[in-house]
Every structure is written in C-alpha cells, then in structure tokens.
Coordinates of all heavy atoms in Angstrom, one line a residue:
M1 N 103.9 -238.1 140.5 CA 103.6 -238.1 141.9 C 104.9 -237.9 142.7 O 105.0 -237.3 143.8 CB 103.1 -239.5 142.4 CG 101.6 -239.6 142.3 SD 101.0 -240.9 143.4 CE 99.4 -241.2 142.7
H2 N 106.1 -238.5 142.2 CA 107.3 -238.3 143.0 C 107.7 -236.9 143.0 O 108.5 -236.5 143.9 CB 108.4 -239.2 142.3 CG 108.9 -238.8 141.0 ND1 108.2 -239.2 139.8 CD2 109.9 -238.0 140.5 CE1 108.8 -238.6 138.8 NE2 109.8 -237.9 139.2
L3 N 107.3 -236.0 142.1 CA 107.7 -234.6 142.1 C 107.0 -233.9 143.3 O 107.4 -232.8 143.7 CB 107.2 -233.9 140.8 CG 108.0 -234.3 139.6 CD1 107.4 -233.6 138.4 CD2 109.5 -233.8 139.7
L4 N 105.9 -234.5 143.8 CA 105.2 -233.9 144.9 C 105.5 -234.4 146.3 O 105.2 -233.8 147.3 CB 103.7 -234.0 144.7 CG 103.1 -233.3 143.5 CD1 101.7 -233.8 143.3 CD2 103.1 -231.8 143.8
T5 N 106.2 -235.6 146.3 CA 106.4 -236.2 147.6 C 107.4 -235.5 148.4 O 108.5 -235.2 148.0 CB 106.8 -237.7 147.3 OG1 105.9 -238.4 146.5 CG2 107.0 -238.5 148.7
G6 N 107.0 -235.2 149.7 CA 107.9 -234.5 150.6 C 108.0 -233.0 150.3 O 109.0 -232.4 150.9
T7 N 107.3 -232.5 149.4 CA 107.4 -231.0 149.1 C 106.0 -230.4 148.8 O 105.0 -231.1 148.8 CB 108.4 -230.9 148.0 OG1 108.6 -229.4 147.7 CG2 107.9 -231.5 146.7
Q8 N 106.0 -229.1 148.4 CA 104.8 -228.5 148.0 C 105.1 -227.6 146.8 O 106.1 -226.8 146.8 CB 104.1 -227.7 149.1 CG 103.4 -228.6 150.1 CD 102.6 -227.8 151.0 OE1 103.1 -227.2 152.0 NE2 101.3 -227.8 150.9
R9 N 104.3 -227.8 145.7 CA 104.6 -227.0 144.5 C 103.2 -226.5 143.9 O 102.2 -227.2 144.1 CB 105.2 -227.9 143.5 CG 106.6 -228.5 143.9 CD 107.2 -229.2 142.7 NE 108.2 -230.2 143.2 CZ 109.4 -229.8 143.5 NH1 109.8 -228.6 143.3 NH2 110.3 -230.7 143.8
S10 N 103.3 -225.4 143.2 CA 102.1 -224.9 142.5 C 102.0 -225.6 141.1 O 102.9 -226.2 140.6 CB 102.2 -223.4 142.3 OG 103.2 -223.1 141.4
A11 N 100.8 -225.5 140.6 CA 100.6 -226.2 139.2 C 101.5 -225.6 138.2 O 102.0 -226.3 137.3 CB 99.1 -226.0 138.8
S12 N 101.8 -224.3 138.3 CA 102.7 -223.7 137.3 C 104.1 -224.2 137.4 O 104.9 -224.4 136.4 CB 102.6 -222.2 137.3 OG 103.1 -221.7 138.5
E13 N 104.6 -224.4 138.7 CA 105.9 -225.0 138.9 C 106.0 -226.3 138.3 O 107.0 -226.6 137.6 CB 106.2 -225.0 140.4 CG 106.7 -223.7 141.0 CD 106.8 -223.8 142.5 OE1 106.4 -224.8 143.2 OE2 107.2 -222.8 143.1
L14 N 105.0 -227.2 138.5 CA 105.0 -228.5 138.0 C 104.9 -228.5 136.5 O 105.7 -229.3 135.8 CB 103.7 -229.3 138.5 CG 103.8 -229.7 140.0 CD1 102.4 -230.1 140.5 CD2 104.8 -230.8 140.2
A15 N 104.2 -227.6 135.9 CA 104.1 -227.5 134.4 C 105.5 -227.2 133.9 O 105.8 -227.7 132.9 CB 103.1 -226.4 134.1
G16 N 106.2 -226.3 134.5 CA 107.6 -225.9 134.1 C 108.5 -227.1 134.2 O 109.3 -227.3 133.3
M17 N 108.3 -227.9 135.3 CA 109.2 -229.0 135.5 C 109.1 -230.2 134.5 O 110.0 -230.8 134.1 CB 109.0 -229.6 136.9 CG 109.5 -228.6 138.0 SD 109.0 -229.2 139.6 CE 110.2 -230.4 140.0
I18 N 107.8 -230.4 134.1 CA 107.6 -231.6 133.2 C 107.2 -231.1 131.8 O 106.9 -231.9 131.0 CB 106.6 -232.6 133.8 CG1 105.2 -232.0 133.9 CG2 107.1 -233.2 135.1 CD1 104.2 -233.1 134.2
D19 N 107.3 -229.8 131.6 CA 107.0 -229.2 130.3 C 105.7 -229.6 129.8 O 105.6 -230.2 128.7 CB 108.1 -229.7 129.3 CG 108.2 -228.8 128.1 OD1 107.6 -227.6 128.2 OD2 108.7 -229.2 127.1
A20 N 104.7 -229.4 130.6 CA 103.3 -229.7 130.2 C 102.4 -228.5 130.5 O 102.7 -227.7 131.4 CB 102.8 -230.9 130.9
P21 N 101.3 -228.3 129.8 CA 100.4 -227.2 130.1 C 99.8 -227.3 131.5 O 99.5 -228.4 131.9 CB 99.4 -227.2 129.0 CG 99.4 -228.5 128.4 CD 100.8 -229.0 128.7
E22 N 99.5 -226.2 132.2 CA 99.0 -226.2 133.5 C 97.6 -227.0 133.5 O 97.3 -227.6 134.5 CB 98.7 -224.8 134.0 CG 99.7 -224.3 135.0 CD 99.4 -223.0 135.6 OE1 98.5 -222.8 136.4 OE2 100.1 -222.0 135.2
R23 N 96.9 -226.8 132.5 CA 95.6 -227.5 132.4 C 95.7 -229.0 132.6 O 95.0 -229.6 133.2 CB 95.1 -227.1 131.0 CG 93.8 -227.7 130.5 CD 92.6 -227.0 131.0 NE 91.9 -227.8 132.0 CZ 91.4 -227.4 133.2 NH1 91.4 -226.2 133.5 NH2 90.8 -228.2 133.9
E24 N 96.8 -229.5 132.0 CA 97.1 -230.9 132.0 C 97.5 -231.3 133.4 O 97.2 -232.4 133.9 CB 98.2 -231.3 131.0 CG 98.2 -232.7 130.6 CD 99.2 -232.9 129.4 OE1 99.0 -232.3 128.3 OE2 100.2 -233.5 129.6
I25 N 98.3 -230.4 134.1 CA 98.7 -230.7 135.5 C 97.5 -230.8 136.4 O 97.4 -231.7 137.2 CB 99.6 -229.5 136.0 CG1 100.9 -229.4 135.1 CG2 99.9 -229.7 137.4 CD1 101.8 -230.5 135.2
E26 N 96.5 -229.9 136.1 CA 95.3 -230.0 137.0 C 94.6 -231.3 136.8 O 94.1 -231.9 137.8 CB 94.5 -228.8 136.7 CG 95.0 -227.5 137.4 CD 94.6 -226.2 136.7 OE1 93.8 -226.3 135.7 OE2 95.2 -225.2 137.0
E27 N 94.5 -231.8 135.6 CA 93.9 -233.1 135.4 C 94.7 -234.2 136.1 O 94.1 -235.1 136.7 CB 93.8 -233.4 133.9 CG 92.8 -232.6 133.2 CD 92.8 -232.6 131.7 OE1 93.5 -233.6 131.2 OE2 92.3 -231.7 131.0
H28 N 96.0 -234.2 136.0 CA 96.8 -235.2 136.7 C 96.5 -235.1 138.2 O 96.4 -236.1 138.8 CB 98.3 -234.9 136.5 CG 98.8 -235.4 135.2 ND1 98.7 -236.7 134.8 CD2 99.4 -234.8 134.2 CE1 99.2 -236.8 133.6 NE2 99.7 -235.7 133.1
L29 N 96.5 -233.9 138.8 CA 96.3 -233.7 140.2 C 95.0 -234.4 140.7 O 94.9 -234.9 141.8 CB 96.4 -232.3 140.6 CG 97.8 -231.7 140.6 CD1 97.7 -230.2 140.6 CD2 98.7 -232.3 141.7
V30 N 93.9 -234.2 139.8 CA 92.6 -234.8 140.2 C 92.8 -236.3 140.3 O 92.3 -236.9 141.3 CB 91.6 -234.5 139.1 CG1 90.3 -235.3 139.4 CG2 91.3 -233.0 139.1
H31 N 93.6 -236.9 139.5 CA 93.8 -238.4 139.6 C 94.7 -238.8 140.8 O 94.4 -239.7 141.4 CB 94.5 -238.9 138.3 CG 93.6 -238.9 137.1 ND1 92.5 -239.7 137.0 CD2 93.7 -238.1 136.0 CE1 91.9 -239.4 135.8 NE2 92.6 -238.5 135.2
V32 N 95.6 -237.9 141.1 CA 96.5 -238.1 142.2 C 95.6 -238.1 143.5 O 95.8 -239.0 144.3 CB 97.6 -237.1 142.3 CG1 98.4 -237.1 143.7 CG2 98.6 -237.2 141.2
V33 N 94.8 -237.1 143.6 CA 93.9 -237.0 144.8 C 93.0 -238.2 144.9 O 92.9 -238.8 146.0 CB 93.0 -235.7 144.6 CG1 91.9 -235.7 145.8 CG2 93.8 -234.5 144.7
R34 N 92.5 -238.7 143.8 CA 91.6 -239.9 143.9 C 92.4 -241.2 144.3 O 92.0 -241.9 145.1 CB 91.0 -240.2 142.5 CG 89.8 -239.3 142.3 CD 89.0 -239.8 141.1 NE 88.2 -238.7 140.6 CZ 88.0 -238.3 139.4 NH1 88.7 -239.0 138.4 NH2 87.2 -237.4 139.0
S35 N 93.6 -241.3 143.7 CA 94.4 -242.5 144.0 C 94.9 -242.5 145.4 O 95.1 -243.5 146.0 CB 95.4 -242.8 143.0 OG 96.3 -241.7 142.9
L36 N 95.1 -241.3 146.0 CA 95.6 -241.2 147.4 C 94.5 -241.3 148.4 O 94.8 -241.5 149.6 CB 96.4 -239.9 147.6 CG 97.7 -239.8 146.8 CD1 98.5 -238.6 147.2 CD2 98.7 -241.1 147.1
A37 N 93.3 -241.2 148.0 CA 92.1 -241.2 148.9 C 92.1 -242.5 149.7 O 91.7 -242.5 150.8 CB 90.8 -241.0 148.2
R38 N 92.6 -243.6 149.1 CA 92.5 -244.9 149.7 C 93.9 -245.4 150.1 O 94.1 -246.5 150.5 CB 91.8 -245.9 148.9 CG 90.3 -245.9 148.9 CD 89.6 -246.6 147.8 NE 89.9 -245.9 146.5 CZ 89.8 -246.4 145.4 NH1 89.3 -247.7 145.2 NH2 90.0 -245.7 144.3
D39 N 94.9 -244.5 149.9 CA 96.2 -244.9 150.2 C 96.5 -244.7 151.7 O 96.3 -243.6 152.2 CB 97.2 -244.0 149.4 CG 98.6 -244.5 149.4 OD1 99.1 -245.0 150.4 OD2 99.2 -244.5 148.3
T40 N 96.9 -245.7 152.4 CA 97.1 -245.6 153.9 C 98.6 -245.1 154.1 O 98.8 -244.8 155.3 CB 96.9 -246.9 154.5 OG1 97.7 -247.9 154.0 CG2 95.5 -247.3 154.5
T41 N 99.4 -245.0 153.1 CA 100.8 -244.7 153.5 C 101.1 -243.2 153.1 O 102.1 -242.6 153.5 CB 101.8 -245.6 152.7 OG1 101.6 -245.5 151.3 CG2 101.6 -247.0 153.1
R42 N 100.3 -242.6 152.2 CA 100.5 -241.3 151.7 C 99.3 -240.4 151.8 O 98.2 -240.9 151.7 CB 101.0 -241.3 150.3 CG 102.4 -241.9 150.1 CD 102.8 -242.0 148.7 NE 101.9 -242.9 147.9 CZ 102.0 -243.1 146.6 NH1 103.0 -242.6 146.0 NH2 101.2 -243.9 146.0
R43 N 99.5 -239.1 152.0 CA 98.4 -238.2 152.1 C 98.6 -237.0 151.2 O 99.7 -236.5 151.1 CB 98.3 -237.7 153.6 CG 97.0 -237.0 153.9 CD 96.9 -237.1 155.5 NE 97.8 -236.2 156.1 CZ 97.6 -234.9 156.5 NH1 96.4 -234.4 156.3 NH2 98.5 -234.2 157.0
F44 N 97.5 -236.6 150.5 CA 97.6 -235.4 149.6 C 97.4 -234.1 150.4 O 96.5 -234.1 151.3 CB 96.5 -235.5 148.6 CG 96.6 -234.4 147.5 CD1 97.6 -234.5 146.6 CD2 95.8 -233.3 147.6 CE1 97.7 -233.5 145.6 CE2 95.8 -232.3 146.6 CZ 96.8 -232.4 145.6
L45 N 98.3 -233.2 150.3 CA 98.3 -231.9 151.0 C 97.9 -230.8 150.0 O 98.4 -230.7 148.9 CB 99.6 -231.5 151.6 CG 100.2 -232.5 152.7 CD1 101.6 -232.1 153.0 CD2 99.3 -232.6 153.9
L46 N 97.0 -229.9 150.5 CA 96.6 -228.8 149.7 C 96.8 -227.6 150.5 O 96.2 -227.4 151.6 CB 95.2 -228.9 149.2 CG 94.6 -227.7 148.5 CD1 95.3 -227.4 147.2 CD2 93.1 -227.9 148.2
E47 N 97.7 -226.7 150.1 CA 97.9 -225.4 150.8 C 97.0 -224.4 150.0 O 97.3 -224.2 148.8 CB 99.3 -225.0 150.7 CG 99.6 -223.7 151.5 CD 101.1 -223.2 151.3 OE1 102.0 -224.0 151.6 OE2 101.2 -222.1 150.7
P48 N 96.0 -223.8 150.6 CA 95.0 -223.1 149.8 C 95.6 -221.8 149.2 O 96.6 -221.3 149.6 CB 93.9 -222.7 150.8 CG 94.4 -223.1 152.1 CD 95.6 -223.9 152.0
S49 N 94.9 -221.3 148.2 CA 95.2 -220.0 147.6 C 95.1 -218.9 148.6 O 94.3 -219.0 149.5 CB 94.3 -219.7 146.4 OG 94.4 -220.7 145.4
R50 N 95.8 -217.8 148.4 CA 95.8 -216.7 149.3 C 95.9 -215.4 148.6 O 96.6 -215.3 147.6 CB 97.0 -216.9 150.3 CG 97.0 -216.0 151.5 CD 98.1 -216.4 152.5 NE 99.2 -217.1 151.8 CZ 100.2 -216.4 151.2 NH1 100.3 -215.2 151.2 NH2 101.2 -217.2 150.6
C51 N 95.2 -214.4 149.1 CA 95.2 -213.1 148.5 C 96.5 -212.4 149.0 O 96.7 -212.3 150.2 CB 94.0 -212.3 148.9 SG 94.0 -210.6 148.3
H52 N 97.3 -211.8 148.1 CA 98.5 -211.1 148.4 C 98.2 -209.8 149.1 O 99.0 -209.3 149.8 CB 99.3 -210.8 147.2 CG 100.1 -212.0 146.7 ND1 101.1 -212.6 147.5 CD2 100.2 -212.7 145.6 CE1 101.6 -213.6 146.9 NE2 101.1 -213.7 145.7
D53 N 97.0 -209.2 148.7 CA 96.7 -207.8 149.2 C 96.1 -207.8 150.6 O 96.5 -207.0 151.4 CB 95.8 -207.1 148.2 CG 96.6 -206.7 147.0 OD1 97.9 -206.6 147.1 OD2 96.1 -206.7 145.9
C54 N 95.2 -208.7 150.9 CA 94.5 -208.6 152.2 C 94.8 -209.9 153.1 O 94.3 -210.0 154.2 CB 93.0 -208.3 152.1 SG 92.1 -209.8 151.5
G55 N 95.4 -210.9 152.5 CA 95.7 -212.1 153.2 C 94.6 -213.1 153.3 O 94.7 -214.1 154.0
F56 N 93.5 -212.8 152.6 CA 92.3 -213.8 152.6 C 92.8 -215.2 152.1 O 93.5 -215.3 151.1 CB 91.2 -213.2 151.7 CG 90.0 -214.2 151.6 CD1 89.1 -214.2 152.6 CD2 89.9 -215.0 150.5 CE1 88.0 -215.1 152.6 CE2 88.8 -215.9 150.5 CZ 87.9 -216.0 151.5
V57 N 92.4 -216.2 152.9 CA 92.8 -217.6 152.5 C 91.5 -218.3 152.0 O 90.5 -218.2 152.6 CB 93.4 -218.3 153.7 CG1 93.6 -219.8 153.3 CG2 94.6 -217.7 154.1
F58 N 91.6 -218.9 150.8 CA 90.5 -219.6 150.2 C 90.3 -221.0 150.7 O 90.5 -222.0 150.0 CB 90.7 -219.7 148.7 CG 90.7 -218.3 148.0 CD1 91.8 -217.4 148.1 CD2 89.6 -217.9 147.2 CE1 91.8 -216.2 147.5 CE2 89.6 -216.7 146.6 CZ 90.6 -215.8 146.8
R59 N 90.0 -221.1 152.0 CA 89.9 -222.4 152.7 C 88.8 -223.3 152.2 O 88.9 -224.5 152.2 CB 89.7 -222.2 154.2 CG 90.9 -221.6 154.8 CD 90.9 -221.8 156.4 NE 91.9 -220.9 157.0 CZ 93.2 -221.2 157.0 NH1 93.6 -222.4 156.5 NH2 94.0 -220.4 157.6
E60 N 87.7 -222.7 151.8 CA 86.6 -223.4 151.3 C 86.8 -224.0 149.9 O 86.0 -224.8 149.5 CB 85.3 -222.6 151.4 CG 85.0 -221.9 152.7 CD 84.9 -222.9 153.8 OE1 84.1 -223.9 153.6 OE2 85.5 -222.8 154.9
R61 N 87.7 -223.5 149.2 CA 87.9 -223.9 147.8 C 88.5 -225.3 147.7 O 89.6 -225.5 148.2 CB 88.7 -222.8 147.1 CG 88.7 -223.0 145.6 CD 89.6 -221.9 145.0 NE 89.7 -222.0 143.6 CZ 88.9 -221.5 142.8 NH1 87.9 -220.7 143.2 NH2 89.1 -221.7 141.4
T62 N 87.8 -226.1 147.0 CA 88.3 -227.5 146.8 C 88.9 -227.7 145.4 O 89.5 -228.6 145.1 CB 87.2 -228.5 147.1 OG1 86.1 -228.3 146.3 CG2 86.8 -228.5 148.5
R63 N 88.6 -226.7 144.5 CA 89.1 -226.8 143.1 C 90.6 -226.6 143.2 O 91.1 -225.9 144.1 CB 88.4 -225.8 142.2 CG 87.0 -226.2 141.9 CD 86.4 -225.2 140.9 NE 87.2 -225.1 139.7 CZ 87.2 -224.1 138.9 NH1 86.4 -223.1 139.1 NH2 87.8 -224.1 137.8
L64 N 91.3 -227.1 142.2 CA 92.8 -227.0 142.2 C 93.3 -225.9 141.4 O 94.5 -225.6 141.4 CB 93.3 -228.4 141.6 CG 92.9 -229.6 142.3 CD1 93.4 -230.9 141.5 CD2 93.4 -229.7 143.7
T65 N 92.4 -225.1 140.8 CA 92.9 -223.9 140.0 C 92.9 -222.7 140.9 O 92.4 -222.6 142.0 CB 91.9 -223.7 138.9 OG1 90.6 -223.6 139.4 CG2 92.0 -224.8 137.9
T66 N 93.7 -221.7 140.4 CA 93.8 -220.4 141.1 C 92.6 -219.6 140.9 O 92.1 -219.4 139.8 CB 95.0 -219.6 140.6 OG1 96.1 -220.5 140.6 CG2 95.3 -218.4 141.5
P67 N 92.0 -219.1 142.1 CA 90.8 -218.2 141.9 C 91.2 -216.9 141.2 O 92.4 -216.5 141.3 CB 90.4 -217.9 143.3 CG 91.2 -218.8 144.2 CD 92.5 -219.3 143.4
G68 N 90.3 -216.3 140.5 CA 90.5 -215.1 139.7 C 90.6 -213.9 140.5 O 91.3 -212.9 140.2
R69 N 89.8 -213.8 141.6 CA 89.6 -212.6 142.3 C 89.3 -212.8 143.8 O 88.7 -213.8 144.1 CB 88.4 -211.9 141.7 CG 88.3 -210.4 142.0 CD 87.1 -209.9 141.3 NE 87.3 -209.5 139.9 CZ 87.7 -208.4 139.4 NH1 87.9 -207.4 140.3 NH2 87.9 -208.1 138.1
C70 N 89.9 -211.9 144.6 CA 89.6 -212.1 146.0 C 88.1 -211.7 146.4 O 87.7 -210.5 145.9 CB 90.6 -211.2 146.8 SG 90.3 -211.1 148.6
P71 N 87.4 -212.4 147.1 CA 86.0 -212.0 147.4 C 85.9 -210.9 148.4 O 84.9 -210.2 148.5 CB 85.4 -213.3 148.1 CG 86.6 -214.1 148.6 CD 87.7 -213.7 147.7
T72 N 86.9 -210.6 149.2 CA 86.8 -209.5 150.2 C 87.4 -208.2 149.7 O 86.7 -207.2 149.8 CB 87.5 -209.9 151.5 OG1 88.9 -210.1 151.2 CG2 86.9 -211.1 152.1
C73 N 88.5 -208.2 149.0 CA 89.1 -206.9 148.6 C 89.1 -206.8 147.0 O 89.6 -205.7 146.5 CB 90.5 -206.7 149.1 SG 91.8 -207.7 148.3
R74 N 88.6 -207.8 146.3 CA 88.5 -207.7 144.8 C 89.9 -207.7 144.1 O 90.0 -207.5 142.9 CB 87.7 -206.5 144.4 CG 86.4 -206.3 144.9 CD 85.4 -207.2 144.2 NE 84.3 -207.7 145.1 CZ 83.7 -208.8 145.0 NH1 84.1 -209.7 144.1 NH2 82.7 -209.1 145.8
S75 N 91.0 -207.9 144.9 CA 92.3 -207.9 144.2 C 92.4 -209.2 143.3 O 91.8 -210.2 143.6 CB 93.4 -208.0 145.3 OG 94.6 -208.3 144.8
E76 N 93.2 -209.1 142.3 CA 93.5 -210.2 141.5 C 94.9 -210.8 141.7 O 95.3 -211.6 141.0 CB 93.3 -209.8 140.0 CG 91.9 -209.5 139.7 CD 91.6 -209.1 138.2 OE1 92.5 -209.5 137.3 OE2 90.6 -208.5 137.9
A77 N 95.5 -210.3 142.7 CA 96.9 -210.8 143.1 C 96.7 -212.0 144.0 O 96.8 -211.8 145.2 CB 97.7 -209.7 143.8
I78 N 96.4 -213.1 143.4 CA 96.1 -214.3 144.2 C 97.3 -215.3 144.1 O 97.7 -215.6 143.0 CB 94.8 -215.0 143.8 CG1 93.7 -214.0 143.6 CG2 94.5 -216.2 144.6 CD1 93.2 -213.4 144.9
A79 N 97.8 -215.7 145.2 CA 98.8 -216.8 145.2 C 98.2 -218.1 144.9 O 97.1 -218.4 145.4 CB 99.5 -216.9 146.6
P80 N 98.8 -218.8 143.9 CA 98.1 -220.1 143.5 C 98.2 -221.2 144.7 O 99.1 -221.1 145.5 CB 99.0 -220.6 142.4 CG 100.3 -219.9 142.5 CD 100.0 -218.6 143.2
P81 N 97.3 -222.1 144.7 CA 97.3 -223.2 145.6 C 98.6 -224.1 145.4 O 99.1 -224.1 144.2 CB 96.0 -224.0 145.4 CG 95.7 -223.7 144.0 CD 96.2 -222.3 143.7
R82 N 99.1 -224.6 146.4 CA 100.2 -225.5 146.3 C 99.9 -226.9 146.7 O 99.1 -227.1 147.7 CB 101.4 -225.0 147.1 CG 101.9 -223.6 146.6 CD 102.8 -222.9 147.5 NE 104.0 -223.5 147.8 CZ 105.1 -223.4 147.0 NH1 105.0 -222.6 146.0 NH2 106.2 -224.0 147.3
F83 N 100.5 -227.9 146.2 CA 100.2 -229.3 146.4 C 101.4 -230.1 146.9 O 102.5 -229.8 146.5 CB 99.7 -229.9 145.1 CG 98.7 -229.0 144.4 CD1 99.2 -228.4 143.3 CD2 97.4 -228.9 144.7 CE1 98.4 -227.5 142.5 CE2 96.6 -228.0 144.0 CZ 97.1 -227.3 143.0
G84 N 101.1 -231.1 147.6 CA 102.2 -231.9 148.0 C 101.7 -233.3 148.5 O 100.5 -233.5 148.6
I85 N 102.6 -234.2 148.6 CA 102.3 -235.6 149.1 C 103.1 -235.8 150.4 O 104.3 -235.7 150.3 CB 102.5 -236.7 148.1 CG1 101.6 -236.4 146.9 CG2 102.2 -238.0 148.7 CD1 101.8 -237.3 145.7
E86 N 102.4 -236.1 151.5 CA 103.1 -236.4 152.7 C 103.1 -237.9 152.9 O 102.0 -238.5 152.8 CB 102.3 -235.6 153.8 CG 102.9 -235.8 155.2 CD 102.0 -235.2 156.2 OE1 100.9 -235.7 156.4 OE2 102.4 -234.1 156.8
L87 N 104.2 -238.4 153.4 CA 104.3 -239.8 153.8 C 103.8 -239.9 155.2 O 104.2 -239.2 156.1 CB 105.7 -240.4 153.6 CG 106.3 -240.4 152.2 CD1 107.7 -240.8 152.3 CD2 105.5 -241.3 151.3
R88 N 102.8 -240.9 155.4 CA 102.4 -241.1 156.7 C 103.3 -242.0 157.4 O 103.9 -242.9 156.8 CB 101.0 -241.8 156.7 CG 99.9 -241.0 156.0 CD 98.6 -241.8 156.2 NE 97.7 -241.4 155.2 CZ 96.4 -241.0 155.5 NH1 96.1 -240.8 156.8 NH2 95.6 -240.7 154.5
A89 N 103.4 -241.8 158.7 CA 104.3 -242.7 159.5 C 103.7 -244.1 159.5 O 102.4 -244.2 159.7 CB 104.3 -242.3 161.0
S90 N 104.4 -245.1 159.2 CA 103.8 -246.4 159.1 C 103.5 -247.0 160.4 O 104.2 -246.8 161.4 CB 104.8 -247.4 158.4 OG 106.1 -247.4 159.1
K91 N 102.3 -247.6 160.5 CA 101.8 -248.2 161.8 C 102.4 -249.6 162.0 O 102.5 -250.3 161.0 CB 100.3 -248.3 161.8 CG 99.7 -246.9 161.8 CD 98.1 -247.1 161.7 CE 97.5 -245.7 161.3 NZ 96.3 -246.0 160.5
R92 N 102.8 -249.8 163.2 CA 103.3 -251.2 163.5 C 102.4 -251.9 164.5 O 101.6 -251.3 165.2 CB 104.7 -251.1 164.1 CG 105.8 -251.1 163.0 CD 107.1 -250.9 163.6 NE 107.3 -249.6 164.1 CZ 108.3 -249.2 164.8 NH1 109.3 -250.0 165.2 NH2 108.4 -248.0 165.3
Ligands
ZN101 ZN1 92.1 -209.7 149.2

C-alpha cells in the first residue's frame, strides 16, 4: 500500500517494483480496494484505461486489468489503468 500512497502507478510498474507477476498485483489491489472502502483517512484512486489512438476512456470499467481492445476504433494500443491512494484531509 505504501507504494501507492500519494502517487499513481500501473500494475506493470508495481510488478517491476516488488518483483511479482502482474496477476498477483491485481489480486493485491482487490484487497487494497476492499480495505480502503471503510477507511476514512485514505481513498483509492483509479485512473481509467485510455485508448492511445482515439482517446477513448474506459470510464465504465471497474476491473483492474487492461482492456484488450478499444470498443470504438478497435485499436489494441490501450494505456493501462493506474492506481493510487490519496490521503484525505483529516476532519477536526
Ligand atoms: Zn480507440
């Protein structure tokens, strides 16, 4: 989790950083999302996948993996989703 706090990274970046397969990173992220759902001090951020060719943004997609193909232009040049953890301002 500390690798994501205050920044945004893709699953492949994280996989390289902790030397684990991307598949495993995605499983970890699912747990991170769940544990942050009730966390009042931190929030999970998801920057959606985007098509490099036409700019289509996969806003509806809630899965953490990269889509294989753009639904509008059929391109396979898809930027992976990026994840981060934002610290919420503490309430007083
Ligand atoms: Zn496209």
Side-chain angles (χ1 to χ4, degrees):
M1 270 202 204
H2 66 276
L3 291 174
L4 290 171
T5 304
T7 185
Q8 283 191 284
R9 302 184 199 279
S10 67
S12 63
E13 281 173 352
L14 289 165
M17 289 170 81
I18 63 169
D19 198 23
E22 254 186 77
R23 178 81 247 140
E24 207 172 292
I25 299 295
E26 282 152 12
E27 286 168 19
H28 280 303
L29 286 168
V30 171
H31 291 293
V32 170
V33 171
R34 279 193 200 132
S35 56
L36 291 184
R38 277 165 294 164
D39 194 318
T40 56
T41 62
R42 292 176 297 180
R43 195 161 68 96
F44 186 76
L45 300 173
L46 172 64
E47 183 188 301
S49 299
R50 191 171 24 83
C51 174
H52 280 302
D53 289 331
C54 74
F56 178 81
V57 177
F58 294 75
R59 290 193 194 285
E60 304 302 311
R61 191 178 176 91
T62 53
R63 288 182 58 199
L64 302 172
T65 52
T66 308
R69 197 180 278 268
C70 176
T72 61
C73 76
R74 305 280 151 213
S75 168
E76 291 179 24
I78 310 294
R82 294 163 68 82
F83 320 99
I85 296 171
E86 179 186 70
L87 295 174
R88 299 184 203 235
S90 56
K91 288 175 199 150
R92 271 176 292 172

